[in-house]
Amino acid sequence: MRTAFWFATAVVLYAYVGYAACLWIYSRVRPQPLRRGSYLPFVSVVMVVRDEEATLAGKLRNLTGLDYPPAKLEFVVVSDGSRD
């Protein structure tokens, strides 16, 4: 029982102190250069719709007008159980 207590204590201490200390040591031993410049990630816009026939075209038109590179933008429209 005593071994389980000390093991659990060591795990908690590692979570609060040890992990941060390991990261600090690693950052001193092997520093990574800071990457500068603009980066635009690939973005997926997911729309879940149900019976939106009247408004779907307007929403998609609005989304295509975003100020974002079209090559980095994806639209996913999910419809299940719609009557239209």
Side-chain angles (χ1 to χ4, degrees):
M1 188 60 113
R2 201 174 279 206
T3 305
F5 169 76
W6 286 111
F7 179 74
T9 302
V11 168
V12 170
L13 283 175
Y14 174 75
Y16 283 99
V17 178
Y19 184 70
C22 287
L23 286 178
W24 183 81
I25 291 169
Y26 184 74
S27 71
R28 299 296 182 236
V29 171
R30 189 158 182 206
Q32 299 287 327
L34 182 62
R35 297 180 187 171
R36 298 201 184 263
S38 64
Y39 171 70
L40 291 173
F42 188 80
V43 176
S44 295
V45 178
V46 180
M47 293 176 34
V48 180
V49 297
R50 182 163 192 252
D51 298 333
E52 295 286 335
E53 182 181 11
T55 60
L56 185 60
K59 285 186 178 280
L60 287 173
R61 204 174 313 109
N62 187 13
L63 286 171
T64 55
L66 290 174
D67 184 25
Y68 207 79
K72 298 249 181 189
L73 199 55
E74 172 187 43
F75 299 110
V76 179
V77 179
V78 180
S79 176
D80 188 19
S82 293
R83 290 181 291 258
D84 54 357

